[in-house]
Amino acid sequence: MKKSPPTEQELRDVTRGLVENALHWLGRALDSLKSQNQEFDLTLLYSAISFEGFVKSLVIHLQWEQVFFSVKKAEFRKLKSGDAHTIGIPEARKRLRDEIKSDCTKELTRFEKLIGHRNKIVHFHHPELDSVATCSQIATEMLQAWSGLLELKKRSAFVALFEEFEGEFREFEREFLELESYLTAQESRIHEEYGGSSSFEECSFCRKQTFHYASSTCYLCDIRESTHADYMDGDFGVQNAECPKCGGYDTVMPLNGGGGRCKECKVFFEVFGVCEYCSASYVQEKGEPEDILDEDQHSTAFLGCGQNDCRGSLGRAMEQD
């Protein structure tokens, strides 16, 4: 009897569960990394569980049968119940490249470094786990794996897989941006990928040599900041905005990919705009729904932005009355 294929909803439920679980264990890994005791064995175990979950979600999202150790024995009911014999990261990397034709080698190679350490702990022992150099290496590899995950998340093939978890990813990014070890690891990676530090200047947000003057963007934190070259080209940019979370004065900077982030509390804001009435920069945590009628959209020219008590042309008219 031929087995019926899973519905789109069934596939979505399985991948959603995997991503939720992976995010949970990533949180545990980050907590152990940030703890006073810095329990690197737990950081390794938790991060390995997390990134293996993310990788399996990638495979299932594109071609669910390929996540089975034996594709010929693939049964969705086993996948749904959690009883499936599935592949690990090395095999997933090969199948994504050779069978599914979605090469993720560069990113998944970063994940595999963590798995090598984890396997020593679980299956034998890790003779160098107590050394400062090894612990530093483990922390760096976890942080680089996270940056690899962010790169995968941007790919068109995986947008639908991760889009509903955007809030969780933004919160994790805030936590990572508060880790000096993360910033240093990213700085080293960027210099290695782009031919050294000579192409970069210090970023006013993350304070690393990762600001690319020609593109006016930091390759680490994605902050966009107007440069002298922009002004010469007639682009006078925008001013920083006040942070409604921590109250920081002009501390929210625009991101190249949209929105803004506060350089004090690291909170992300979905909207970074310029008021049409007073020309001040402002931020909002959430944007308006895409399907809202034009006449119902918030007009800063009419209603103001709320910065410095700006109430737009309506407020000015009411004051005159």
Side-chain angles (χ1 to χ4, degrees):
M1 183 177 177
K2 190 175 181 180
K3 301 180 181 68
S4 59
T7 65
E8 287 188 16
Q9 186 58 50
E10 286 178 319
L11 274 172
R12 186 63 196 153
D13 288 344
V14 169
T15 54
R16 182 189 295 112
L18 269 172
V19 175
E20 286 176 344
N21 194 48
L23 288 168
H24 166 75
W25 287 108
L26 180 61
R28 296 288 298 273
L30 188 55
D31 287 343
S32 65
L33 181 66
K34 291 163 62 179
S35 71
Q36 266 190 325
N37 298 327
Q38 286 197 313
E39 300 168 302
F40 283 101
D41 54 344
L42 295 180
T43 300
L44 269 175
L45 293 173
Y46 296 156
S47 58
I49 294 171
S50 173
F51 287 108
E52 282 186 332
F54 283 124
V55 171
K56 289 177 183 180
S57 73
L58 301 178
V59 177
I60 296 171
H61 176 67
L62 296 180
Q63 195 172 325
W64 68 268
E65 298 94 339
Q66 290 294 334
V67 82
F68 280 79
F69 186 79
S70 173
V71 177
K72 292 180 180 179
K73 297 180 180 180
E75 291 185 55
F76 188 74
R77 65 177 181 83
K78 290 187 176 180
L79 197 61
K80 193 174 180 180
S81 65
D83 296 325
H85 183 193
T86 56
I87 56 176
I89 293 180
E91 184 60 29
R93 173 175 52 79
K94 294 175 185 175
R95 293 191 188 182
L96 282 164
R97 181 191 63 202
D98 301 333
E99 305 297 333
I100 305 176
K101 307 303 180 184
S102 183
D103 194 356
C104 303
T105 300
K106 184 181 76 171
E107 295 85 2
L108 299 196
T109 298
R110 300 183 201 174
F111 297 4
E112 286 183 64
K113 291 179 180 179
L114 290 171
I115 303 304
H117 291 295
R118 188 278 310 273
N119 289 345
K120 286 184 180 181
I121 293 176
V122 174
H123 301 297
F124 188 57
H125 78 286
H126 201 310
E128 300 171 335
L129 190 60
D130 292 333
S131 75
V132 174
T134 300
C135 290
S136 177
Q137 179 186 352
I138 290 168
T140 298
E141 289 170 0
M142 176 192 169
L143 301 171
Q144 290 179 339
W146 164 252
S147 68
L149 178 62
L150 290 183
E151 290 171 17
L152 288 171
K153 191 173 77 71
K154 295 175 184 176
R155 290 201 191 184
S156 58
F158 303 123
V159 167
L161 174 63
F162 294 120
E163 60 184 351
E164 70 177 278
F165 300 100
E166 191 62 34
E168 288 86 342
F169 274 94
R170 292 292 186 185
E171 179 59 23
F172 273 118
E173 184 70 354
R174 181 190 66 78
E175 292 192 61
F176 276 113
L177 285 171
E178 292 177 342
L179 286 175
E180 179 62 27
S181 54
Y182 173 65
L183 300 176
T184 301
Q186 287 292 79
E187 181 183 46
S188 299
R189 178 188 63 79
I190 290 166
H191 290 175
E192 184 178 338
E193 289 185 8
Y194 294 94
S197 60
S198 59
S199 302
F200 299 97
E201 298 179 4
E202 183 178 295
C203 172
S204 62
F205 184 95
C206 64
R207 300 300 179 187
K208 294 299 179 183
Q209 293 288 129
T210 48
F211 183 79
H212 191 246
Y213 188 85
S215 63
S216 306
T217 303
C218 175
Y219 282 12
L220 196 166
C221 62
D222 199 40
I223 290 297
R224 176 170 174 78
E225 188 170 15
S226 297
T227 64
H228 179 68
D230 293 322
Y231 295 135
M232 293 296 291
D233 291 337
D235 179 4
F236 298 103
V238 296
Q239 300 299 312
N240 295 346
E242 182 178 325
C243 180
K245 284 290 186 182
C246 69
Y249 178 71
D250 289 351
T251 56
V252 184
M253 303 181 70
L255 293 170
N256 190 52
R261 191 181 290 277
C262 177
K263 60 183 177 181
E264 295 298 328
C265 65
K266 304 301 188 292
V267 169
F268 170 79
F269 297 93
E270 191 171 287
V271 176
F272 187 106
V274 177
C275 180
E276 295 173 303
Y277 184 78
C278 73
S279 299
S281 297
Y282 69 94
V283 293
Q284 295 173 349
E285 290 190 68
K286 293 288 182 184
E288 293 181 314
E290 293 182 1
D291 58 353
I292 191 171
L293 297 174
D294 290 345
E295 58 267 27
D296 292 332
Q297 292 181 5
H298 181 93
S299 167
T300 53
F302 184 58
L303 300 173
C305 63
Q307 300 290 306
N308 301 314
D309 201 30
C310 169
R311 296 189 293 155
S313 59
L314 175 62
R316 181 173 178 80
M318 291 176 67
E319 287 173 2
Q320 291 176 343
D321 290 343

